[in-house]
Amino acid sequence: MRPKRFLLAAALTVALAPGTWLRSPPPPRALQPDVTLTPIAAQQRTAGPFTLLGAWELAGDRLRFGGISALVALPDGRFLAGSDTGRKLEFHRPDRGRRTGLFSAFEPSETSYKMGRDLESLAVDPETGTVWAGYEYREAIVRLDAAFRPDKEVRPALMADWASNSGVESLVRLADGRFLAIEERSRRWRGSRHMAVLFSGDPVQDDNPQSVVVDIPAGYRPVDAAPVGKGRALVLLRRLDWGIPLGFETAIAELDVDAPDDDGIVTARLLAELGKTIPRDNYEGLTLTEDADGQHVWLISDDNFMSFQRTLLLKLRWQTREKARE
């Protein structure tokens, strides 16, 4: 790698690392709750089975809003997003009218360090509205009631050695009630195999979960997941693009926990690399909606609290009959 490119890469790596010295502590003032969702121009383009239909830029509290790293669709038609500062964003679908979102804390006290409240993933029971949140650093899963009040917490032994800043990046409640948590970091440098934990039901009640290995294609890392039926899930993938300017590449894959290969590995099949189909940014949240006109995939980006990044929400049509890429 050329020296100039190495220095740029190092600068971006330091800038994006959670909890670095580049982030100053939030000022002691009230959190401004309103979040606006403004439509932005987005050309309708298609990659594999996905077609971009709409895009919005989200903006809120000038110093505290951002870091969105998880997204789920709630039973009542709203969305819930979580940030890596332990806050939540509730908002209505912007394709059904212009309304502001609400940005607030999951817990009444925000005095804990980021290392204790780095929320990276969300899962939801569509029947009860119960929510589960995955936290990095402390490698924990917290159950919240339908009002998003913390209930119980579990720190599975199978997740104890997951990397502190790339742990429970993906947590999904499968259609049959099982849960799958996937570690973002691969087991080897530049490897494709990632450790995962499969729970037979509610993670805070399962004392004997199963260890699983998931193979992620093309140098990507898993950053979120959503259920699509039985033991299947869509997985949002991300990798760093070492070009100039540095940035991120986004892809979507599908896996089936009930279809491991002969070695017991669950392979994620690449459905599409989104490339220039979508505005380029650091997408970390994915969820699905079932609508009268078909299935839609929603993506949300993490701005890393950087002025040159944005919090974007995208709506993509998913043509499920399209063949997956091999």
Side-chain angles (χ1 to χ4, degrees):
M1 182 183 294
R2 295 179 180 177
K4 183 177 180 181
R5 182 172 291 188
F6 176 80
L7 291 174
L8 287 170
L12 183 62
T13 301
V14 171
L16 298 183
T20 64
W21 56 273
L22 292 176
R23 297 186 187 177
S24 57
R29 63 171 179 80
L31 179 68
Q32 303 302 307
D34 290 341
V35 172
T36 59
L37 294 90
T38 304
I40 61 174
Q43 184 176 351
Q44 187 174 109
R45 294 176 175 172
T46 298
F50 303 104
T51 300
L52 179 63
L53 298 182
W56 296 262
E57 182 172 359
L58 282 64
D61 188 300
R62 187 174 62 85
L63 295 178
R64 296 184 182 181
F65 178 74
I68 304 298
S69 52
L71 180 68
V72 290
L74 298 174
D76 59 5
R78 293 178 301 137
F79 288 128
L80 173 69
S83 81
D84 58 17
T85 55
R87 301 185 180 110
K88 66 181 183 292
L89 169 63
E90 303 166 66
F91 62 99
H92 292 81
R93 292 178 52 156
D95 60 340
R96 296 180 175 175
R98 296 285 298 274
R99 301 174 69 174
T100 58
L102 178 63
F103 190 54
S104 59
F106 266 110
E107 301 183 39
S109 173
E110 289 197 286
T111 58
S112 61
Y113 291 105
K114 173 180 165 57
M115 290 180 63
R117 53 187 173 92
D118 188 351
L119 187 154
E120 291 291 339
S121 53
L122 290 169
V124 63
D125 180 346
E127 293 186 0
T128 66
T130 302
V131 172
W132 291 260
Y135 288 85
E136 287 185 341
Y137 290 102
R138 74 187 202 233
E139 307 306 345
I141 298 174
V142 176
R143 186 176 66 194
L144 306 102
D145 63 20
F148 314 133
R149 294 171 297 207
D151 177 16
K152 294 184 179 180
E153 176 178 334
V154 65
R155 299 185 183 187
L158 291 175
M159 291 166 35
D161 67 340
W162 287 12
S164 59
N165 67 340
S166 59
V168 198
E169 194 77 21
S170 302
L171 177 67
V172 55
R173 183 184 185 274
L174 301 172
D176 59 10
R178 291 177 293 173
F179 284 72
L180 181 69
I182 311 174
E183 182 184 17
E184 180 188 4
R185 180 194 65 174
S186 60
R187 289 286 93 181
R188 294 183 179 180
W189 170 248
R190 300 179 67 86
S192 64
R193 293 182 176 179
H194 298 250
M195 296 306 299
V197 179
L198 181 64
F199 300 87
S200 61
D202 187 338
V204 304
Q205 296 178 338
D206 186 355
D207 296 327
N208 190 31
Q210 176 186 352
S211 179
V212 176
V213 177
V214 175
D215 191 79
I216 299 296
Y220 285 100
R221 289 186 171 191
V223 291
D224 205 3
V228 293
K230 298 183 179 179
R232 296 164 44 235
L234 277 192
V235 184
L236 178 63
L237 307 179
R238 174 188 65 185
R239 71 183 177 194
L240 185 62
D241 178 6
W242 295 93
I244 297 177
L246 291 167
F248 296 95
E249 296 177 339
T250 301
I252 298 177
E254 184 179 19
L255 62 78
D256 187 344
V257 297
D258 296 321
D261 63 19
D262 293 340
D263 296 321
I265 308 299
V266 175
T267 299
R269 299 180 302 144
L270 193 62
L271 298 180
E273 295 181 291
L274 298 182
K276 295 182 180 179
T277 304
I278 62 175
R280 197 181 198 198
D281 218 302
N282 176 31
Y283 295 95
E284 288 201 24
L286 171 148
T287 193
L288 289 169
T289 57
E290 294 277 355
D291 302 313
D293 57 344
Q295 283 189 309
H296 295 98
V297 173
W298 297 79
L299 305 181
I300 198 166
S301 67
D302 179 354
D303 68 353
N304 296 294
F305 296 99
M306 296 296 164
S307 61
F308 55 86
Q309 291 182 263
R310 297 179 291 174
T311 301
L312 300 178
L313 178 73
L314 308 182
K315 177 185 179 182
L316 299 94
R317 179 187 296 117
W318 180 23
Q319 297 287 352
T320 55
R321 292 184 180 181
E322 291 282 342
K323 287 187 63 177
R325 284 185 52 184
E326 294 297 328

PDB file of all heavy atoms in Angstrom, residues 180-212:
ATOM      1  N   LEU A 180     -30.889 -15.621  16.226  1.00  0.00           N
ATOM      2  CA  LEU A 180     -29.522 -15.806  15.748  1.00  0.00           C
ATOM      3  C   LEU A 180     -28.753 -14.518  15.986  1.00  0.00           C
ATOM      4  O   LEU A 180     -29.178 -13.435  15.570  1.00  0.00           O
ATOM      5  CB  LEU A 180     -29.513 -16.142  14.252  1.00  0.00           C
ATOM      6  CG  LEU A 180     -28.133 -16.388  13.631  1.00  0.00           C
ATOM      7  CD1 LEU A 180     -27.533 -17.690  14.164  1.00  0.00           C
ATOM      8  CD2 LEU A 180     -28.227 -16.425  12.108  1.00  0.00           C
ATOM      9  N   ALA A 181     -27.618 -14.641  16.672  1.00  0.00           N
ATOM     10  CA  ALA A 181     -26.705 -13.521  16.881  1.00  0.00           C
ATOM     11  C   ALA A 181     -25.407 -13.831  16.147  1.00  0.00           C
ATOM     12  O   ALA A 181     -24.886 -14.942  16.254  1.00  0.00           O
ATOM     13  CB  ALA A 181     -26.433 -13.313  18.371  1.00  0.00           C
ATOM     14  N   ILE A 182     -24.877 -12.871  15.388  1.00  0.00           N
ATOM     15  CA  ILE A 182     -23.678 -13.078  14.580  1.00  0.00           C
ATOM     16  C   ILE A 182     -22.615 -12.062  14.970  1.00  0.00           C
ATOM     17  O   ILE A 182     -22.887 -10.861  15.077  1.00  0.00           O
ATOM     18  CB  ILE A 182     -23.977 -12.950  13.079  1.00  0.00           C
ATOM     19  CG1 ILE A 182     -25.188 -13.780  12.676  1.00  0.00           C
ATOM     20  CG2 ILE A 182     -22.755 -13.359  12.247  1.00  0.00           C
ATOM     21  CD1 ILE A 182     -25.618 -13.572  11.231  1.00  0.00           C
ATOM     22  N   GLU A 183     -21.391 -12.551  15.163  1.00  0.00           N
ATOM     23  CA  GLU A 183     -20.263 -11.669  15.457  1.00  0.00           C
ATOM     24  C   GLU A 183     -19.793 -10.998  14.168  1.00  0.00           C
ATOM     25  O   GLU A 183     -19.654 -11.646  13.128  1.00  0.00           O
ATOM     26  CB  GLU A 183     -19.115 -12.467  16.073  1.00  0.00           C
ATOM     27  CG  GLU A 183     -17.916 -11.603  16.460  1.00  0.00           C
ATOM     28  CD  GLU A 183     -16.743 -12.425  16.989  1.00  0.00           C
ATOM     29  OE1 GLU A 183     -16.740 -13.646  16.766  1.00  0.00           O
ATOM     30  OE2 GLU A 183     -15.846 -11.839  17.614  1.00  0.00           O
ATOM     31  N   GLU A 184     -19.520  -9.709  14.245  1.00  0.00           N
ATOM     32  CA  GLU A 184     -19.045  -8.998  13.048  1.00  0.00           C
ATOM     33  C   GLU A 184     -17.644  -9.439  12.641  1.00  0.00           C
ATOM     34  O   GLU A 184     -17.348  -9.613  11.461  1.00  0.00           O
ATOM     35  CB  GLU A 184     -19.063  -7.489  13.284  1.00  0.00           C
ATOM     36  CG  GLU A 184     -18.580  -6.700  12.073  1.00  0.00           C
ATOM     37  CD  GLU A 184     -18.404  -5.231  12.351  1.00  0.00           C
ATOM     38  OE1 GLU A 184     -18.586  -4.808  13.516  1.00  0.00           O
ATOM     39  OE2 GLU A 184     -18.060  -4.501  11.408  1.00  0.00           O
ATOM     40  N   ARG A 185     -16.775  -9.616  13.607  1.00  0.00           N
ATOM     41  CA  ARG A 185     -15.383  -9.988  13.306  1.00  0.00           C
ATOM     42  C   ARG A 185     -15.304 -11.435  12.830  1.00  0.00           C
ATOM     43  O   ARG A 185     -15.972 -12.317  13.362  1.00  0.00           O
ATOM     44  CB  ARG A 185     -14.536  -9.828  14.561  1.00  0.00           C
ATOM     45  CG  ARG A 185     -13.063 -10.185  14.381  1.00  0.00           C
ATOM     46  CD  ARG A 185     -12.381 -10.324  15.737  1.00  0.00           C
ATOM     47  NE  ARG A 185     -12.921 -11.457  16.508  1.00  0.00           N
ATOM     48  CZ  ARG A 185     -12.431 -11.873  17.665  1.00  0.00           C
ATOM     49  NH1 ARG A 185     -11.420 -11.229  18.203  1.00  0.00           N
ATOM     50  NH2 ARG A 185     -12.971 -12.900  18.296  1.00  0.00           N
ATOM     51  N   SER A 186     -14.470 -11.682  11.840  1.00  0.00           N
ATOM     52  CA  SER A 186     -14.236 -13.057  11.401  1.00  0.00           C
ATOM     53  C   SER A 186     -13.228 -13.707  12.335  1.00  0.00           C
ATOM     54  O   SER A 186     -12.490 -13.032  13.069  1.00  0.00           O
ATOM     55  CB  SER A 186     -13.721 -13.092   9.969  1.00  0.00           C
ATOM     56  OG  SER A 186     -12.510 -12.379   9.842  1.00  0.00           O
ATOM     57  N   ARG A 187     -13.184 -15.026  12.300  1.00  0.00           N
ATOM     58  CA  ARG A 187     -12.304 -15.771  13.185  1.00  0.00           C
ATOM     59  C   ARG A 187     -10.841 -15.595  12.830  1.00  0.00           C
ATOM     60  O   ARG A 187      -9.956 -15.700  13.682  1.00  0.00           O
ATOM     61  CB  ARG A 187     -12.651 -17.251  13.146  1.00  0.00           C
ATOM     62  CG  ARG A 187     -13.946 -17.596  13.818  1.00  0.00           C
ATOM     63  CD  ARG A 187     -13.832 -17.532  15.345  1.00  0.00           C
ATOM     64  NE  ARG A 187     -14.198 -16.260  15.944  1.00  0.00           N
ATOM     65  CZ  ARG A 187     -14.147 -16.027  17.245  1.00  0.00           C
ATOM     66  NH1 ARG A 187     -13.738 -16.962  18.083  1.00  0.00           N
ATOM     67  NH2 ARG A 187     -14.487 -14.857  17.725  1.00  0.00           N
ATOM     68  N   ARG A 188     -10.545 -15.320  11.571  1.00  0.00           N
ATOM     69  CA  ARG A 188      -9.173 -15.109  11.123  1.00  0.00           C
ATOM     70  C   ARG A 188      -9.093 -13.788  10.373  1.00  0.00           C
ATOM     71  O   ARG A 188     -10.065 -13.322   9.814  1.00  0.00           O
ATOM     72  CB  ARG A 188      -8.707 -16.255  10.207  1.00  0.00           C
ATOM     73  CG  ARG A 188      -8.592 -17.597  10.902  1.00  0.00           C
ATOM     74  CD  ARG A 188      -8.045 -18.647   9.939  1.00  0.00           C
ATOM     75  NE  ARG A 188      -7.902 -19.949  10.570  1.00  0.00           N
ATOM     76  CZ  ARG A 188      -7.448 -21.038   9.954  1.00  0.00           C
ATOM     77  NH1 ARG A 188      -7.100 -20.963   8.665  1.00  0.00           N
ATOM     78  NH2 ARG A 188      -7.351 -22.179  10.600  1.00  0.00           N
ATOM     79  N   TRP A 189      -7.890 -13.215  10.346  1.00  0.00           N
ATOM     80  CA  TRP A 189      -7.666 -11.976   9.627  1.00  0.00           C
ATOM     81  C   TRP A 189      -8.040 -12.176   8.161  1.00  0.00           C
ATOM     82  O   TRP A 189      -7.553 -13.073   7.504  1.00  0.00           O
ATOM     83  CB  TRP A 189      -6.206 -11.558   9.759  1.00  0.00           C
ATOM     84  CG  TRP A 189      -5.818 -10.411   8.861  1.00  0.00           C
ATOM     85  CD1 TRP A 189      -4.981 -10.463   7.792  1.00  0.00           C
ATOM     86  CD2 TRP A 189      -6.243  -9.046   8.985  1.00  0.00           C
ATOM     87  NE1 TRP A 189      -4.858  -9.223   7.220  1.00  0.00           N
ATOM     88  CE2 TRP A 189      -5.623  -8.332   7.931  1.00  0.00           C
ATOM     89  CE3 TRP A 189      -7.095  -8.370   9.864  1.00  0.00           C
ATOM     90  CZ2 TRP A 189      -5.819  -6.960   7.746  1.00  0.00           C
ATOM     91  CZ3 TRP A 189      -7.285  -7.005   9.674  1.00  0.00           C
ATOM     92  CH2 TRP A 189      -6.649  -6.326   8.627  1.00  0.00           C
ATOM     93  N   ARG A 190      -8.942 -11.335   7.670  1.00  0.00           N
ATOM     94  CA  ARG A 190      -9.424 -11.393   6.297  1.00  0.00           C
ATOM     95  C   ARG A 190     -10.107 -12.729   5.991  1.00  0.00           C
ATOM     96  O   ARG A 190     -10.188 -13.145   4.831  1.00  0.00           O
ATOM     97  CB  ARG A 190      -8.285 -11.121   5.298  1.00  0.00           C
ATOM     98  CG  ARG A 190      -7.642  -9.753   5.474  1.00  0.00           C
ATOM     99  CD  ARG A 190      -6.509  -9.545   4.476  1.00  0.00           C
ATOM    100  NE  ARG A 190      -7.022  -9.461   3.111  1.00  0.00           N
ATOM    101  CZ  ARG A 190      -7.461  -8.339   2.540  1.00  0.00           C
ATOM    102  NH1 ARG A 190      -7.479  -7.210   3.234  1.00  0.00           N
ATOM    103  NH2 ARG A 190      -7.887  -8.330   1.292  1.00  0.00           N
ATOM    104  N   GLY A 191     -10.579 -13.398   7.020  1.00  0.00           N
ATOM    105  CA  GLY A 191     -11.290 -14.652   6.824  1.00  0.00           C
ATOM    106  C   GLY A 191     -12.758 -14.410   6.525  1.00  0.00           C
ATOM    107  O   GLY A 191     -13.261 -13.285   6.585  1.00  0.00           O
ATOM    108  N   SER A 192     -13.490 -15.491   6.213  1.00  0.00           N
ATOM    109  CA  SER A 192     -14.902 -15.358   5.853  1.00  0.00           C
ATOM    110  C   SER A 192     -15.830 -15.994   6.874  1.00  0.00           C
ATOM    111  O   SER A 192     -17.050 -15.870   6.747  1.00  0.00           O
ATOM    112  CB  SER A 192     -15.143 -16.004   4.484  1.00  0.00           C
ATOM    113  OG  SER A 192     -14.887 -17.401   4.536  1.00  0.00           O
ATOM    114  N   ARG A 193     -15.262 -16.684   7.867  1.00  0.00           N
ATOM    115  CA  ARG A 193     -16.106 -17.402   8.816  1.00  0.00           C
ATOM    116  C   ARG A 193     -16.284 -16.614  10.119  1.00  0.00           C
ATOM    117  O   ARG A 193     -15.312 -16.173  10.719  1.00  0.00           O
ATOM    118  CB  ARG A 193     -15.534 -18.792   9.082  1.00  0.00           C
ATOM    119  CG  ARG A 193     -15.616 -19.664   7.833  1.00  0.00           C
ATOM    120  CD  ARG A 193     -15.122 -21.067   8.041  1.00  0.00           C
ATOM    121  NE  ARG A 193     -15.325 -21.867   6.830  1.00  0.00           N
ATOM    122  CZ  ARG A 193     -14.985 -23.132   6.693  1.00  0.00           C
ATOM    123  NH1 ARG A 193     -14.417 -23.780   7.697  1.00  0.00           N
ATOM    124  NH2 ARG A 193     -15.205 -23.769   5.553  1.00  0.00           N
ATOM    125  N   HIS A 194     -17.549 -16.501  10.506  1.00  0.00           N
ATOM    126  CA  HIS A 194     -17.903 -15.708  11.674  1.00  0.00           C
ATOM    127  C   HIS A 194     -18.647 -16.592  12.669  1.00  0.00           C
ATOM    128  O   HIS A 194     -19.499 -17.393  12.282  1.00  0.00           O
ATOM    129  CB  HIS A 194     -18.795 -14.536  11.255  1.00  0.00           C
ATOM    130  CG  HIS A 194     -18.144 -13.580  10.310  1.00  0.00           C
ATOM    131  ND1 HIS A 194     -17.786 -12.309  10.671  1.00  0.00           N
ATOM    132  CD2 HIS A 194     -17.778 -13.735   9.003  1.00  0.00           C
ATOM    133  CE1 HIS A 194     -17.236 -11.701   9.631  1.00  0.00           C
ATOM    134  NE2 HIS A 194     -17.225 -12.549   8.611  1.00  0.00           N
ATOM    135  N   MET A 195     -18.355 -16.400  13.939  1.00  0.00           N
ATOM    136  CA  MET A 195     -19.048 -17.148  14.971  1.00  0.00           C
ATOM    137  C   MET A 195     -20.463 -16.587  15.158  1.00  0.00           C
ATOM    138  O   MET A 195     -20.707 -15.394  14.987  1.00  0.00           O
ATOM    139  CB  MET A 195     -18.298 -17.092  16.299  1.00  0.00           C
ATOM    140  CG  MET A 195     -16.924 -17.748  16.256  1.00  0.00           C
ATOM    141  SD  MET A 195     -16.967 -19.452  15.640  1.00  0.00           S
ATOM    142  CE  MET A 195     -18.025 -20.227  16.876  1.00  0.00           C
ATOM    143  N   ALA A 196     -21.374 -17.473  15.467  1.00  0.00           N
ATOM    144  CA  ALA A 196     -22.761 -17.083  15.710  1.00  0.00           C
ATOM    145  C   ALA A 196     -23.328 -17.959  16.807  1.00  0.00           C
ATOM    146  O   ALA A 196     -22.785 -19.024  17.130  1.00  0.00           O
ATOM    147  CB  ALA A 196     -23.589 -17.207  14.429  1.00  0.00           C
ATOM    148  N   VAL A 197     -24.423 -17.512  17.399  1.00  0.00           N
ATOM    149  CA  VAL A 197     -25.112 -18.267  18.443  1.00  0.00           C
ATOM    150  C   VAL A 197     -26.575 -18.387  18.045  1.00  0.00           C
ATOM    151  O   VAL A 197     -27.229 -17.385  17.719  1.00  0.00           O
ATOM    152  CB  VAL A 197     -24.986 -17.592  19.820  1.00  0.00           C
ATOM    153  CG1 VAL A 197     -25.742 -18.405  20.873  1.00  0.00           C
ATOM    154  CG2 VAL A 197     -23.529 -17.442  20.220  1.00  0.00           C
ATOM    155  N   LEU A 198     -27.082 -19.604  18.064  1.00  0.00           N
ATOM    156  CA  LEU A 198     -28.478 -19.880  17.725  1.00  0.00           C
ATOM    157  C   LEU A 198     -29.223 -20.234  19.004  1.00  0.00           C
ATOM    158  O   LEU A 198     -28.889 -21.203  19.687  1.00  0.00           O
ATOM    159  CB  LEU A 198     -28.565 -21.017  16.719  1.00  0.00           C
ATOM    160  CG  LEU A 198     -29.967 -21.413  16.242  1.00  0.00           C
ATOM    161  CD1 LEU A 198     -30.626 -20.269  15.486  1.00  0.00           C
ATOM    162  CD2 LEU A 198     -29.895 -22.665  15.362  1.00  0.00           C
ATOM    163  N   PHE A 199     -30.239 -19.448  19.333  1.00  0.00           N
ATOM    164  CA  PHE A 199     -31.048 -19.659  20.529  1.00  0.00           C
ATOM    165  C   PHE A 199     -32.359 -20.343  20.120  1.00  0.00           C
ATOM    166  O   PHE A 199     -32.968 -19.978  19.112  1.00  0.00           O
ATOM    167  CB  PHE A 199     -31.364 -18.334  21.222  1.00  0.00           C
ATOM    168  CG  PHE A 199     -30.148 -17.564  21.665  1.00  0.00           C
ATOM    169  CD1 PHE A 199     -29.513 -16.681  20.804  1.00  0.00           C
ATOM    170  CD2 PHE A 199     -29.641 -17.726  22.942  1.00  0.00           C
ATOM    171  CE1 PHE A 199     -28.402 -15.957  21.215  1.00  0.00           C
ATOM    172  CE2 PHE A 199     -28.523 -17.011  23.371  1.00  0.00           C
ATOM    173  CZ  PHE A 199     -27.904 -16.118  22.495  1.00  0.00           C
ATOM    174  N   SER A 200     -32.811 -21.283  20.926  1.00  0.00           N
ATOM    175  CA  SER A 200     -34.049 -22.003  20.628  1.00  0.00           C
ATOM    176  C   SER A 200     -35.284 -21.146  20.841  1.00  0.00           C
ATOM    177  O   SER A 200     -36.376 -21.473  20.357  1.00  0.00           O
ATOM    178  CB  SER A 200     -34.153 -23.264  21.487  1.00  0.00           C
ATOM    179  OG  SER A 200     -34.178 -22.910  22.866  1.00  0.00           O
ATOM    180  N   GLY A 201     -35.134 -20.051  21.560  1.00  0.00           N
ATOM    181  CA  GLY A 201     -36.230 -19.133  21.847  1.00  0.00           C
ATOM    182  C   GLY A 201     -35.658 -17.851  22.414  1.00  0.00           C
ATOM    183  O   GLY A 201     -34.556 -17.430  22.032  1.00  0.00           O
ATOM    184  N   ASP A 202     -36.364 -17.224  23.314  1.00  0.00           N
ATOM    185  CA  ASP A 202     -35.927 -15.991  23.958  1.00  0.00           C
ATOM    186  C   ASP A 202     -34.508 -16.145  24.506  1.00  0.00           C
ATOM    187  O   ASP A 202     -34.245 -17.022  25.339  1.00  0.00           O
ATOM    188  CB  ASP A 202     -36.901 -15.661  25.099  1.00  0.00           C
ATOM    189  CG  ASP A 202     -36.633 -14.303  25.720  1.00  0.00           C
ATOM    190  OD1 ASP A 202     -35.524 -13.783  25.600  1.00  0.00           O
ATOM    191  OD2 ASP A 202     -37.557 -13.775  26.364  1.00  0.00           O
ATOM    192  N   PRO A 203     -33.543 -15.324  24.080  1.00  0.00           N
ATOM    193  CA  PRO A 203     -32.160 -15.473  24.540  1.00  0.00           C
ATOM    194  C   PRO A 203     -31.979 -15.374  26.049  1.00  0.00           C
ATOM    195  O   PRO A 203     -31.077 -16.018  26.607  1.00  0.00           O
ATOM    196  CB  PRO A 203     -31.428 -14.331  23.822  1.00  0.00           C
ATOM    197  CG  PRO A 203     -32.257 -14.030  22.636  1.00  0.00           C
ATOM    198  CD  PRO A 203     -33.678 -14.270  23.059  1.00  0.00           C
ATOM    199  N   VAL A 204     -32.817 -14.574  26.718  1.00  0.00           N
ATOM    200  CA  VAL A 204     -32.644 -14.431  28.160  1.00  0.00           C
ATOM    201  C   VAL A 204     -33.178 -15.634  28.918  1.00  0.00           C
ATOM    202  O   VAL A 204     -32.972 -15.748  30.131  1.00  0.00           O
ATOM    203  CB  VAL A 204     -33.305 -13.133  28.681  1.00  0.00           C
ATOM    204  CG1 VAL A 204     -32.776 -11.921  27.956  1.00  0.00           C
ATOM    205  CG2 VAL A 204     -34.806 -13.208  28.585  1.00  0.00           C
ATOM    206  N   GLN A 205     -33.837 -16.570  28.220  1.00  0.00           N
ATOM    207  CA  GLN A 205     -34.369 -17.763  28.874  1.00  0.00           C
ATOM    208  C   GLN A 205     -33.708 -19.047  28.395  1.00  0.00           C
ATOM    209  O   GLN A 205     -33.934 -20.108  28.986  1.00  0.00           O
ATOM    210  CB  GLN A 205     -35.884 -17.855  28.633  1.00  0.00           C
ATOM    211  CG  GLN A 205     -36.682 -16.710  29.241  1.00  0.00           C
ATOM    212  CD  GLN A 205     -38.167 -16.804  28.933  1.00  0.00           C
ATOM    213  OE1 GLN A 205     -38.568 -17.451  27.974  1.00  0.00           O
ATOM    214  NE2 GLN A 205     -38.984 -16.154  29.760  1.00  0.00           N
ATOM    215  N   ASP A 206     -32.903 -18.979  27.341  1.00  0.00           N
ATOM    216  CA  ASP A 206     -32.260 -20.177  26.787  1.00  0.00           C
ATOM    217  C   ASP A 206     -30.907 -20.379  27.465  1.00  0.00           C
ATOM    218  O   ASP A 206     -29.961 -19.622  27.231  1.00  0.00           O
ATOM    219  CB  ASP A 206     -32.081 -20.024  25.278  1.00  0.00           C
ATOM    220  CG  ASP A 206     -31.560 -21.297  24.623  1.00  0.00           C
ATOM    221  OD1 ASP A 206     -31.241 -22.262  25.356  1.00  0.00           O
ATOM    222  OD2 ASP A 206     -31.460 -21.338  23.384  1.00  0.00           O
ATOM    223  N   ASP A 207     -30.800 -21.414  28.291  1.00  0.00           N
ATOM    224  CA  ASP A 207     -29.558 -21.680  29.013  1.00  0.00           C
ATOM    225  C   ASP A 207     -28.582 -22.549  28.228  1.00  0.00           C
ATOM    226  O   ASP A 207     -27.456 -22.775  28.667  1.00  0.00           O
ATOM    227  CB  ASP A 207     -29.864 -22.383  30.350  1.00  0.00           C
ATOM    228  CG  ASP A 207     -30.666 -21.508  31.286  1.00  0.00           C
ATOM    229  OD1 ASP A 207     -30.475 -20.263  31.246  1.00  0.00           O
ATOM    230  OD2 ASP A 207     -31.489 -22.041  32.046  1.00  0.00           O
ATOM    231  N   ASN A 208     -29.011 -23.040  27.077  1.00  0.00           N
ATOM    232  CA  ASN A 208     -28.150 -23.950  26.317  1.00  0.00           C
ATOM    233  C   ASN A 208     -28.204 -23.637  24.821  1.00  0.00           C
ATOM    234  O   ASN A 208     -28.607 -24.478  24.022  1.00  0.00           O
ATOM    235  CB  ASN A 208     -28.560 -25.404  26.577  1.00  0.00           C
ATOM    236  CG  ASN A 208     -27.569 -26.394  26.015  1.00  0.00           C
ATOM    237  OD1 ASN A 208     -26.363 -26.120  25.947  1.00  0.00           O
ATOM    238  ND2 ASN A 208     -28.039 -27.554  25.601  1.00  0.00           N
ATOM    239  N   PRO A 209     -27.775 -22.424  24.411  1.00  0.00           N
ATOM    240  CA  PRO A 209     -27.805 -22.095  22.987  1.00  0.00           C
ATOM    241  C   PRO A 209     -26.752 -22.881  22.212  1.00  0.00           C
ATOM    242  O   PRO A 209     -25.847 -23.486  22.795  1.00  0.00           O
ATOM    243  CB  PRO A 209     -27.492 -20.597  22.976  1.00  0.00           C
ATOM    244  CG  PRO A 209     -26.688 -20.370  24.217  1.00  0.00           C
ATOM    245  CD  PRO A 209     -27.250 -21.323  25.234  1.00  0.00           C
ATOM    246  N   GLN A 210     -26.864 -22.855  20.900  1.00  0.00           N
ATOM    247  CA  GLN A 210     -25.991 -23.631  20.028  1.00  0.00           C
ATOM    248  C   GLN A 210     -24.991 -22.733  19.318  1.00  0.00           C
ATOM    249  O   GLN A 210     -25.332 -21.672  18.806  1.00  0.00           O
ATOM    250  CB  GLN A 210     -26.858 -24.369  18.988  1.00  0.00           C
ATOM    251  CG  GLN A 210     -26.081 -25.143  17.942  1.00  0.00           C
ATOM    252  CD  GLN A 210     -26.997 -25.712  16.866  1.00  0.00           C
ATOM    253  OE1 GLN A 210     -28.223 -25.660  16.984  1.00  0.00           O
ATOM    254  NE2 GLN A 210     -26.401 -26.254  15.817  1.00  0.00           N
ATOM    255  N   SER A 211     -23.738 -23.172  19.262  1.00  0.00           N
ATOM    256  CA  SER A 211     -22.708 -22.441  18.523  1.00  0.00           C
ATOM    257  C   SER A 211     -22.832 -22.766  17.033  1.00  0.00           C
ATOM    258  O   SER A 211     -23.011 -23.921  16.643  1.00  0.00           O
ATOM    259  CB  SER A 211     -21.317 -22.820  19.023  1.00  0.00           C
ATOM    260  OG  SER A 211     -20.320 -22.123  18.297  1.00  0.00           O
ATOM    261  N   VAL A 212     -22.739 -21.733  16.197  1.00  0.00           N
ATOM    262  CA  VAL A 212     -22.876 -21.876  14.753  1.00  0.00           C
ATOM    263  C   VAL A 212     -21.761 -21.085  14.085  1.00  0.00           C
ATOM    264  O   VAL A 212     -21.316 -20.054  14.604  1.00  0.00           O
ATOM    265  CB  VAL A 212     -24.253 -21.358  14.273  1.00  0.00           C
ATOM    266  CG1 VAL A 212     -24.374 -21.415  12.758  1.00  0.00           C
ATOM    267  CG2 VAL A 212     -25.382 -22.144  14.919  1.00  0.00           C
TER     268      VAL A 212
END
